[in-house]
Amino acid sequence: MVIDKTPQDPPKRMIAPQSGIFALGTASHAYLEFDVLTGRNPKELVVTISSLREPRTTMGGVNLVAGFRPELWRETVPDDAPAEVAGFNKDLAGIEGFVMPATQHDAVLWISGSAYDVVFEVARKAITALQDLASVADETSSWPYKHDRDLTGFIDGSENPSLIDAPDEALIEEGQPGAGGTVLLLQKWVHNAAEWESLSVEAQERVIGRKKLDSVECENKSPDSHVASTDQDRFGKIFRRNMPYGTVTNHGTMFVGFSAEQQRLAKMLESMAGLTTGVRDALTRYTKPLSGAYYFVPSTESLRRVSGETSS
């Protein structure tokens, strides 16, 4: 037997994403969006957020995911930014007067943990660390409802890829600018609970395109059903971490969608607004978008480089 003693190239080290993206099962969430203060250099905000040590690890049951307005990240780290990614910089106007508002901010911190007290404390510390650079433009707290359902009563994320497959769909591949990072679409949708709950279960199922009990896709679903409007076989796979938010009398869904390609997310929104087929998503008649922003969520290595920390 001949033994090949030719030196082999060491295996390539995978570029690690921010771990909180895939940290399922957390019971409490907070979303903090920031705008740079007048007179401050926006790049300082990127460096300061990148220097926060807890965002890239799980410590004390808390995960913190940091994202930036795509244009701001590109200005700060031009060689590590996907070229085509842009902020949600103008309203998306659909048919029948339907509008998805653009509420783009400069940065986002998504904090998730096992209980709200630890989420609260991490959020307070983050706000204090950034108080001389940025103001909190929006803050939302979220929590799971009946394990995996949203506040319409339907299972959310039925089309989500498994955790084994999710990185392939959500993360920019190695060798590309922004490798290990992902594009985040963050939207707040408020539900018209009274109108929705006045519908029969059968009518709700026609709107969604799935059975309420077990989330089985309906046969002969309507073209305006939510499932038809957001068909990932047409637009491409995304990884969703949606969560309910709000109070008993004022509540809805935080849409938290990750994709390696922004166009998958953008095309789904256009379809929901009726711009693709001329048919508006029926679910948009019972829930209204209040906000909309795109953020680039860099890899852990990118954050370390920006902060000046040498990765081990």
Side-chain angles (χ1 to χ4, degrees):
M1 181 176 66
V2 178
I3 300 176
D4 184 1
K5 296 184 179 181
T6 304
Q8 300 294 315
D9 293 332
K12 291 183 178 180
R13 186 167 62 87
M14 296 294 291
I15 299 176
Q18 295 184 48
S19 59
I21 297 169
F22 303 109
L24 301 181
T26 45
S28 296
H29 300 252
Y31 310 89
L32 305 174
E33 295 180 89
F34 295 88
D35 284 331
V36 175
L37 294 173
T38 302
R40 299 308 302 258
N41 184 345
K43 295 181 182 179
E44 290 183 76
L45 179 63
V46 177
V47 173
T48 302
I49 288 178
S50 297
S51 69
L52 297 176
R53 294 282 62 86
E54 291 184 349
R56 274 84 63 198
T57 59
T58 303
M59 299 178 66
V62 179
N63 299 281
L64 200 158
V65 173
F68 304 94
R69 177 168 53 85
E71 295 86 350
L72 174 55
W73 179 257
R74 188 175 299 113
E75 291 168 6
T76 307
V77 195
D79 62 344
D80 192 37
E84 303 302 323
V85 181
F88 204 134
N89 298 321
K90 63 178 183 179
D91 294 350
L92 176 62
I95 65 172
E96 302 172 355
F98 177 71
V99 175
M100 292 186 185
T103 59
Q104 184 68 51
H105 300 292
D106 289 319
V108 64
L109 296 178
W110 166 34
I111 304 164
S112 62
S114 57
Y116 189 67
D117 57 348
V118 293
V119 169
F120 182 85
E121 285 303 310
V122 171
R124 288 183 63 186
K125 291 178 181 178
I127 291 171
T128 299
L130 301 175
Q131 64 184 356
D132 293 332
L133 293 172
S135 60
V136 178
D138 193 70
E139 174 188 356
T140 305
S141 299
S142 294
W143 28 265
Y145 177 69
K146 294 185 178 180
H147 180 60
D148 56 3
R149 295 181 184 266
D150 64 25
L151 295 179
T152 66
F154 283 75
I155 295 173
D156 199 357
S158 298
E159 290 293 319
N160 247 4
S162 69
L163 282 180
I164 294 175
D165 296 327
D168 291 334
E169 307 296 348
L171 302 179
I172 296 171
E173 63 183 17
E174 294 192 44
Q176 301 297 318
T182 182
V183 180
L184 163 64
L185 171 61
L186 186 67
Q187 287 183 303
K188 182 187 291 187
W189 291 75
V190 63
H191 296 177
N192 187 330
E195 283 196 31
W196 178 253
E197 291 168 3
S198 71
L199 300 177
S200 66
V201 171
E202 291 76 14
Q204 291 180 356
E205 291 175 343
R206 285 195 295 271
V207 169
I208 299 296
R210 291 187 180 277
K211 296 296 184 180
K212 193 169 186 177
L213 179 63
D214 54 15
S215 201
V216 172
E217 191 168 319
C218 297
E219 296 183 7
N220 302 317
K221 58 184 175 294
S222 172
D224 71 344
S225 68
H226 184 58
V227 170
S229 297
T230 60
D231 184 0
Q232 294 189 37
D233 290 334
R234 293 166 57 201
F235 303 114
K237 296 290 185 180
I238 65 172
F239 182 62
R240 296 182 351 191
R241 293 293 308 277
N242 296 359
M243 277 287 158
Y245 79 90
T247 66
V248 174
T249 58
N250 183 15
H251 56 255
T253 298
M254 288 297 294
F255 179 89
V256 184
F258 295 94
S259 178
E261 298 178 1
Q262 185 176 27
Q263 281 303 302
R264 299 177 194 169
L265 297 161
K267 293 297 184 183
M268 285 185 187
L269 295 189
E270 291 173 359
S271 176
M272 291 178 67
L275 298 177
T276 304
T277 63
V279 178
R280 177 178 154 193
D281 187 335
L283 186 58
T284 64
R285 304 185 188 281
Y286 303 95
T287 182
K288 176 183 178 182
L290 301 180
S291 67
Y294 286 111
Y295 295 100
F296 179 66
V297 178
S299 69
T300 58
E301 285 83 352
S302 294
L303 293 176
R304 291 186 182 117
R305 285 195 298 271
V306 169
S307 68
E309 177 188 352
T310 301
S311 59
S312 58

